[in-house]
């Protein structure tokens, strides 16, 4: 058997670029004469923007600190040991950059064992141990505290989570075994499975206390001082920590079943991490921690060597890194300041845009429309949303008053836009209407103003073609709901200049959106791929495959919703319009479904009714459908749909619609909610052999979203 030191030394050699966390030990006298105390502080020497992580050398440093306090505890020179973090950060878990480098199962196993061997020593000391969650705690940061006897948490703590399942891992340093034994299986399933699969939902300090993960909650300002006072009270017996008894009967099994139902609804069996975590939680019912830790080690190693985790890490890196440095964006220094924004239109989309610009830029925003009633409704919507923010405590009264004062509406574009720097239109999706709007705006706007279009599928070049200054027109395509989906497709028309483009990217950054540079090609990225995807599903239905079979066929992708539910969300009329636009551009690949047209003409909002609470095919829609007699299986349907998507992505990359396959994936993750465990879509197509079958080559180089060779 390797010693912990040997395990960690071997792992450290595989990861030379680790940002190393130190574990500083200092001694202090606890209040009220409670005795001498050792406090370990985790700190990587960088500010809070570079959170503390655990790579192999960092674990070795913590191991060495525990050597010291273990000796002191056994000698009786200390009465307890605490562990805390640097300002604003406790610790955010394993260093994922190191995980990406692992190529062998035994190396992955060593990472799991190394973490367990170090952390579990905290529960084996001769004195009580205390974790003080002073700031952000995730993954291994949460788990190191679970090995302690007691925990306190700061009310100011902004983020606390076990996000591993979201990425394609399990909490593998004690989380799956310890948490259900601390707070019960049902609450543990909420933290480990439900929150992780709900876009990695985070807990705040007060929730950590409510769930029973922490034993005490203190304000952020004097958190450590209060925690040490409380520690002294626990040690001298004046405070007794009582924890409710964990139900190890039927409630435990019901919690695991609930977790499985959540996993099924989110990933449909398509990604293994949630199921592996649930197996460990189920087995933890008997409280055998050694067995639980071994199961965590094995699951961790298996998942690290699996495709879903590599896709998850790839997706994580896209969203965290590539999104911050958009490929092909001009130099930031070319961007012009934006001190006033104009919005053409005052419907729902335009009103959502006005609210976003107002909240993020905090500059005057003016809406226009064809009559006063629409203008008033648009401004009223923005005011109403600000009132909701005020009611939730997200803004104070002064801020609410100021924001309301910055938004206005006028009928006269000359009055509204004569001093605007950035004007965006969100009017009816018809090229003639958009051209007319831009002609009217150009006549009254300053020469430097950017003219942006929120078109989802029309040509930006054509829209700008009749203007005196087409170089200042840029596509600025948001996704609905605007407040939720991060993606912004920034479209460069044939004559868009660098200054206009740089300004658009600068505004996107202030709006906190993920901007991707897109060529002016029909339907850009997300709508083109989704329309090809949906179009192939529709073709299969039209040819004769039952609706339910076509819907189930793509369940293994683990998409946020089924294709026809998505169509309902988008609106069948919009889906039909985009398919018509793409059919004109690429008639050999994009069809216009007569059945979909019939659904739209009948005024139907979708294919389903929800009378039973579950989606069921609307009998009126079923009566409209005219189907052929070619019936495919789920597998045949899935192959056809994926082949179509792989072909379309290949063509888009050949056309230079975006710089690389990575941008396609970034768009699908942030604009259409496609899962992290797919890595968007191209890693999945590569892994399933679809890319090779259709295009003769994979989209990504080996090791980019797969285990390095």
């Amino acid at each position: 058997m390797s010693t912990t030191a040997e395990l960690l030394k071997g792992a450290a050699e595989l990861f030379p670029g680790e940002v190393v966390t130190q574990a500083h030990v200092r001694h202090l006298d606890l209040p009220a004469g409670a005795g001498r105390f050792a406090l370990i502080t985790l700190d990587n020497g960088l500010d809070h923007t570079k959170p503390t992580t655990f790579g192999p050398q960092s674990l070795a440093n913590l191991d060495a600190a525990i050597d010291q306090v273990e000796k002191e505890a056994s000698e009786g020179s200390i009465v307890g040991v605490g562990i805390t973090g640097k300002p604003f950060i406790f610790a955010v878990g394993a260093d994922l950059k190191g995980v990406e480098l692992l190529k062998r199962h035994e190396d992955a196993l060593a990472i799991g064992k190394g973490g367990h061997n170090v952390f579990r020593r905290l529960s084996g000391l001769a004195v009580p141990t205390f974790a003080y969650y002073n700031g952000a705690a995730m993954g291994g940061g949460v788990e190191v505290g679970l090995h302690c006897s007691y925990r306190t948490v700061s009310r100011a703590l902004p983020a606390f989570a076990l996000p591993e399942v979201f990425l394609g891992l399990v909490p593998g340093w004690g989380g799956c075994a310890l948490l259900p034994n601390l707070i019960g299986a049902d609450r543990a399933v909420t933290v480990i499975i439900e929150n992780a699969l709900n876009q990695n939902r985070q807990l705040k300090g007060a929730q950590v206390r409510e769930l029973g993960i922490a034993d005490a909650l203190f304000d952020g300002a004097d958190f450590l001082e209060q925690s040490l006072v409380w520690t002294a009270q626990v040690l001298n017996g004046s405070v007794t920590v009582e924890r409710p008894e964990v139900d190890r009967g039927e409630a435990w099994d019901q919690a695991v079943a609930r977790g499985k139902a959540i996993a099924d609804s989110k990933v449909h069996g398509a990604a293994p991490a949630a199921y592996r975590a649930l197996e460990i939680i189920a087995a933890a019912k008997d409280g055998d921690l050694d067995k639980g830790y071994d199961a965590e080690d094995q699951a961790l190693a298996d998942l690290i060597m699996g495709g879903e985790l590599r896709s998850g890490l790839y997706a994580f890196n896209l969203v965290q890194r590539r999104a911050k440095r958009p490929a092909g964006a001009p130099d930031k220094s070319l961007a012009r300041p934006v001190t006033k924004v104009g919005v053409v239109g005052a419907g729902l989309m335009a009103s959502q845009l006005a609210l976003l610009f107002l909240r993020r830029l905090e500059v005057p925003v003016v809406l226009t429309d064809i009559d006063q009633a629409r203008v008033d409704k648009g401004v009223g919507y923005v005011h109403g949303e600000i009132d909701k923010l005020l009611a939730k405590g997200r803004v104070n009264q002064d801020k609410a008053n100021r924001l309301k004062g910055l938004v206005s509406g006028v009928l006269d574009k000359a009055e509204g836009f004569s001093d605007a720097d950035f004007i965006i239109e969100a009017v009816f999706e018809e090229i003639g209407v958009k051209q007319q709007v831009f002609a009217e705006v150009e006549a009254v706007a300053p020469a430097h103003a950017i003219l942006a279009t929120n078109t989802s599928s029309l040509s930006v070049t054509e829209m700008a073609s009749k203007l005196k200054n087409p170089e200042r027109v840029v596509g600025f395509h948001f996704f609905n709901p605007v407040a939720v989906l991060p993606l912004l497709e920034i479209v460069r028309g044939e004559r868009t200049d660098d200054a206009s483009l740089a300004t658009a990217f600068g505004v996107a950054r202030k709006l906190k959106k993920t901007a991707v540079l897109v060529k002016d090609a029909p339907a850009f990225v997300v709508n083109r791929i989704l329309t090809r995807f949906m179009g192939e599903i529709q073709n299969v239905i039209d040819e004769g495959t039952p609706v339910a079979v076509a819907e189930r066929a793509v369940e293994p992708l683990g998409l946020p919703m089924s294709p026809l539910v998505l169509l309902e969300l988008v609106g069948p009329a919009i889906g039909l319009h985009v398919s018509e636009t793409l059919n004109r551009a690429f008639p050999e690949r994009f069809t216009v479904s007569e059945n979909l047209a019939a659904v739209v003409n009948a005024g139907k909002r979708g294919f389903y009714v929800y009378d039973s609470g579950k989606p069921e095919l609307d009998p009126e829609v079923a009566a409209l459908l005219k189907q052929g007699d070619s019936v495919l299986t789920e597998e045949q349907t899935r192959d056809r749909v994926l082949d179509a998507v792989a072909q379309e992505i290949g063509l888009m990359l050949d056309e230079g619609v975006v710089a690389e396959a990575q941008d396609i994936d970034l768009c699908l993750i942030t604009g259409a909610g496609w899962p992290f465990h797919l890595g968007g879509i191209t890693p999945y197509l590569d892994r399933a052999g679809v890319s090779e079958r259709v295009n003769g080559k994979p989209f990504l180089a080996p090791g980019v979203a797969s285990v390095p060779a």
Side-chain angles (χ1 to χ4, degrees):
M1 279 290 288
S2 301
T3 66
T4 301
E6 286 167 348
L7 272 180
L8 294 174
K9 186 169 183 292
E13 285 166 3
L14 297 172
F15 184 22
E18 177 184 353
V19 177
V20 177
T21 296
Q22 303 297 332
H24 304 291
V25 181
R26 65 185 173 107
H27 295 87
L28 44 93
D29 292 317
L30 288 171
R36 192 140 178 81
F37 189 75
L39 182 66
I40 299 170
T41 302
L42 303 169
D43 191 346
N44 61 7
L46 302 167
D47 70 15
H48 67 278
T49 62
K50 302 283 189 302
T52 307
T53 53
F54 292 115
Q57 186 56 54
S58 306
L59 286 172
N61 290 343
L62 179 57
D63 199 40
I66 296 172
D67 282 342
Q68 179 187 336
V69 298
E70 183 178 57
K71 183 168 178 290
E72 293 166 354
S74 59
E75 291 169 353
S77 62
I78 55 171
V79 295
V81 174
I83 186 164
T84 192
K86 67 183 184 181
F88 310 110
I89 305 287
F90 182 78
V92 297
D95 192 321
L96 294 175
K97 290 195 288 298
V99 172
E100 286 174 66
L101 301 173
L102 297 174
K103 300 178 186 178
R104 301 184 313 159
H105 193 274
E106 55 263 44
D107 295 331
L109 198 61
I111 287 288
K113 285 191 183 302
H116 273 131
N117 291 354
V118 175
F119 288 2
R120 69 187 302 177
R121 295 182 67 197
L122 289 164
S123 59
L125 296 180
V127 294
T129 49
F130 298 79
Y132 307 131
Y133 291 124
N134 64 303
M138 285 170 219
V142 168
E143 289 170 299
V144 72
L146 295 178
H147 286 269
C148 294
S149 323
Y150 305 97
R151 286 154 295 281
T152 67
V153 66
S154 166
R155 198 184 297 279
L157 179 144
F160 183 103
L162 289 169
E164 287 84 354
V165 165
F166 175 66
L167 291 171
L169 280 173
V170 298
W173 285 342
C176 291
L178 288 168
L179 193 62
N181 279 294
L182 176 68
I183 62 172
D186 195 62
R187 288 176 163 193
V189 162
T190 297
V191 177
I192 294 170
I193 307 295
E194 188 174 12
N195 287 359
L197 291 179
N198 274 310
Q199 293 300 312
N200 191 21
R201 187 189 291 151
Q202 313 277 310
L203 299 169
K204 300 271 192 266
Q207 294 169 300
V208 175
R209 173 70 189 99
E210 279 161 33
L211 284 166
I213 301 171
D215 302 303
L217 174 74
F218 299 113
D219 287 338
D222 55 354
F223 169 70
L224 188 57
E225 289 84 345
Q226 290 298 321
S227 293
L228 291 169
V229 168
W230 181 84
T231 298
Q233 292 166 338
V234 169
L235 290 171
N236 67 24
S238 61
V239 163
T240 304
V241 173
E242 290 180 6
R243 297 184 186 130
E245 196 173 329
V246 169
D247 186 335
R248 296 179 188 282
E250 201 180 320
W252 196 290
D253 303 331
Q254 286 170 348
V256 173
R258 181 174 79 89
K260 186 172 183 307
I262 292 164
D264 286 344
S265 74
K266 292 290 184 181
V267 300
H268 308 284
Y275 302 98
R276 290 296 291 267
L278 286 164
E279 284 169 20
I280 303 167
I281 293 170
K285 184 176 176 180
D286 62 7
D288 184 340
L289 293 178
D290 286 336
K291 198 171 75 182
Y293 297 161
D294 286 344
E296 287 178 349
D297 288 341
Q298 284 300 330
L300 208 55
D302 292 347
L303 293 166
I304 284 172
M305 300 316 290
E308 282 79 7
L309 171 71
R310 302 302 170 136
S311 296
L313 292 175
Y314 163 80
F316 184 76
N317 287 332
L318 289 181
V319 171
Q320 293 295 318
R321 293 183 206 151
R322 192 176 185 90
K324 293 179 174 65
R325 288 188 290 281
D331 193 290
K332 290 179 191 172
S333 64
L334 297 172
R336 293 192 285 262
V338 172
T339 59
K340 183 178 179 182
V341 172
V343 182
V344 185
L348 182 59
M349 189 66 176
S351 302
Q352 288 184 60
L353 295 181
L355 178 69
L356 179 70
F357 279 95
L358 185 68
R359 287 194 64 201
R360 296 285 186 234
L361 271 58
E362 295 190 24
V363 299
V365 175
V366 60
L367 297 110
T368 67
D369 212 316
I370 53 175
D371 60 52
Q372 193 62 45
R374 292 180 200 222
V375 169
D376 292 344
K377 189 178 177 187
V379 173
Y381 169 87
V382 176
H383 281 195
E385 292 300 305
I386 292 167
D387 286 336
K388 286 182 196 169
L389 293 170
L390 178 65
K392 288 178 187 164
R394 304 270 295 278
V395 296
N396 60 26
Q397 188 68 58
D398 284 352
K399 180 88 172 270
N401 293 345
R402 192 165 80 252
L403 290 176
K404 284 183 180 179
L406 285 170
V407 66
S408 61
V410 294
L411 286 175
D412 181 1
K413 291 186 180 69
E415 180 190 342
F417 298 158
S418 63
D419 55 349
D421 308 301
F422 191 99
I423 300 161
I424 184 165
E425 69 73 25
V427 299
F428 184 64
E429 191 74 348
E430 204 278 309
I431 195 76
V433 175
K434 307 258 193 196
Q435 286 177 329
Q436 184 190 340
V437 161
F438 271 160
E440 290 169 6
V441 170
E442 187 180 50
V444 298
H448 70 272
I450 304 298
L451 308 185
T453 169
N454 184 44
T455 182
S456 59
S457 61
L458 300 175
S459 167
V460 174
T461 302
E462 193 181 343
M463 219 176 286
S465 61
K466 298 182 177 174
L467 299 179
K468 294 190 205 67
N469 299 107
E471 68 279 356
R472 57 175 170 158
V473 176
V474 64
F476 215 62
H477 178 219
F478 290 88
F479 289 79
N480 216 347
V482 170
V484 176
L485 290 172
L487 181 64
L488 184 51
E489 290 177 337
I490 296 189
V491 187
R492 180 171 209 153
E494 281 173 21
R495 304 203 32 203
T496 308
D497 64 19
D498 280 356
S500 301
L501 203 59
T503 306
F505 273 100
V507 169
R509 216 166 14 254
K510 287 189 175 148
L511 294 176
K512 298 187 178 171
K513 291 293 179 187
T514 296
V516 175
L517 180 61
V518 179
K519 184 181 170 184
D520 188 17
F524 317 128
V525 176
V526 172
N527 284 342
R528 180 163 164 185
I529 292 169
L530 288 185
T531 304
R532 186 77 199 273
F533 173 79
M534 305 278 284
E536 211 52 51
I537 296 265
Q538 192 73 56
N539 289 343
V540 167
I541 293 169
D542 294 354
E543 290 163 18
T545 299
V547 168
V549 173
E551 287 269 82
R552 279 199 309 272
V554 291
E555 274 189 359
L557 293 176
L559 299 176
M561 60 191 75
S562 76
L564 293 182
V565 173
L566 174 63
L567 182 67
E568 205 168 292
L569 185 72
V570 170
I574 292 172
L576 181 65
H577 175 76
V578 177
S579 69
E580 288 167 344
T581 302
L582 281 158
N583 171 254
R584 285 193 295 274
F586 310 114
E588 69 287 358
R589 297 194 313 282
F590 287 86
T591 51
V592 177
S593 165
E594 288 182 15
N595 280 325
L596 179 57
V599 168
V600 172
N601 291 337
K604 287 287 173 187
R605 295 183 55 191
F607 277 61
Y608 292 129
V609 287
Y610 295 85
D611 300 339
S612 66
K614 281 201 244 155
E616 289 171 7
L617 190 61
D618 183 338
E620 292 178 18
V621 169
L624 292 171
L625 296 181
K626 294 193 170 84
Q627 291 183 282
D629 52 12
S630 171
V631 180
L632 300 185
T633 64
E634 287 178 27
E635 191 176 350
Q636 289 168 326
T637 301
R638 185 161 57 251
D639 283 349
R640 232 178 95 172
V641 171
L642 292 177
D643 285 4
V645 169
Q647 182 195 31
E648 203 58 39
I649 292 170
L651 291 165
M652 289 165 72
L653 292 171
D654 290 345
E655 292 166 26
V657 175
V658 287
E660 291 182 290
Q662 280 89 330
D663 295 309
I664 299 269
D665 292 320
L666 183 57
C667 285
L668 286 173
I669 292 163
T670 56
W674 280 39
F676 262 57
H677 69 258
L678 295 186
I681 185 62
T682 68
Y684 179 86
L685 295 172
D686 286 355
R687 205 163 61 239
V690 181
S691 319
E692 199 83 46
R693 181 169 76 228
V694 174
N695 300 322
K697 61 181 182 185
F699 288 113
L700 300 168
V704 172
S706 53
V707 176

